Amino acid sequence: MFKVIASEVVVSKGFDNKPAIKFSEKGDFVRFRIGTKVYDSRADKNHRWINVGVKAFGPLCERIRKMQLKEGSFVTLIGRYDEDIWEDEKTKEKRSVPVIILEDIEYCFSGGSKNSGEGKNATSSAPEPANNYAAPPASDPMNGGFTGFQSYGGGNSFF
């Protein structure tokens, strides 16, 4: 099992104008996607988004409902890496996609900036998080403007 820790990732908008957070009819299963903006010199404007699906079961579903997560909310989560595997209806080929099975989630803050895509310095228009969840972080003076990977020299890194 691979443990996954994702900090300050954004809840991605729903695909094809569907809701960002999807609960099962019974409310014992929830599915959503998270994303983060990363530096990529080959991409448009030197950045691209990485998105990963997230699944939660049982009591975590009620916690997510109480957190009032929505598209653009920033969260920190812990889970385990897994893959969804299915057969394509048309081609009958096996398909797979990575997914995180949620173990814990904390509310960081709600993004409000449509321009930057990052939301870290945006003001929040969402309600304050419940007492059980983390308060929004202060601005990060240690960041120093770092926006992505920088080579530190010394040979070829496989990262």
Side-chain angles (χ1 to χ4, degrees):
M1 169 179 68
F2 289 108
K3 191 71 131 182
V4 176
I5 300 172
S7 62
E8 296 184 17
V9 292
V10 67
V11 175
S12 302
K13 68 179 187 175
F15 179 72
D16 206 17
N17 294 323
K18 293 184 180 166
I21 311 285
K22 298 176 206 160
F23 287 92
S24 68
E25 289 180 17
K26 290 182 176 180
D28 59 348
F29 172 75
V30 64
R31 186 177 190 117
F32 60 97
R33 296 180 65 76
I34 58 169
T36 189
K37 190 175 183 180
V38 296
Y39 174 77
D40 184 349
S41 62
R42 298 169 293 183
D44 186 34
K45 298 182 184 178
N46 291 331
H47 289 92
R48 63 184 173 93
W49 283 87
I50 295 176
N51 291 287
V52 178
V54 178
K55 289 181 179 180
F57 302 92
L60 282 172
C61 297
E62 185 59 29
R63 183 173 182 179
I64 290 169
R65 189 180 313 279
K66 286 180 181 178
M67 290 171 71
Q68 299 179 353
L69 288 184
K70 61 183 181 209
E71 171 186 328
S73 295
F74 280 78
V75 295
T76 296
L77 57 86
I78 298 173
R80 66 181 194 275
Y81 177 88
D82 201 358
E83 287 186 339
D84 276 345
I85 300 173
W86 72 95
E87 185 177 290
D88 186 282
E89 292 177 6
K90 294 178 183 176
T91 65
K92 304 297 183 197
E93 291 180 29
K94 292 276 187 181
R95 306 284 310 250
S96 67
V97 65
V99 66
I100 297 171
I101 307 299
L102 196 63
E103 293 174 1
D104 192 21
I105 186 167
E106 295 290 331
Y107 179 80
C108 289
F109 57 96
S110 179
S113 173
K114 298 284 185 190
N115 297 335
S116 70
E118 293 177 284
K120 291 185 179 182
N121 296 325
T123 59
S124 173
S125 61
E128 289 296 315
N131 291 337
N132 295 344
Y133 309 112
S139 62
D140 184 10
M142 299 301 288
N143 185 351
F146 181 71
T147 60
F149 174 78
Q150 292 179 349
S151 174
Y152 295 105
N156 243 346
S157 172
F158 60 91
F159 292 109

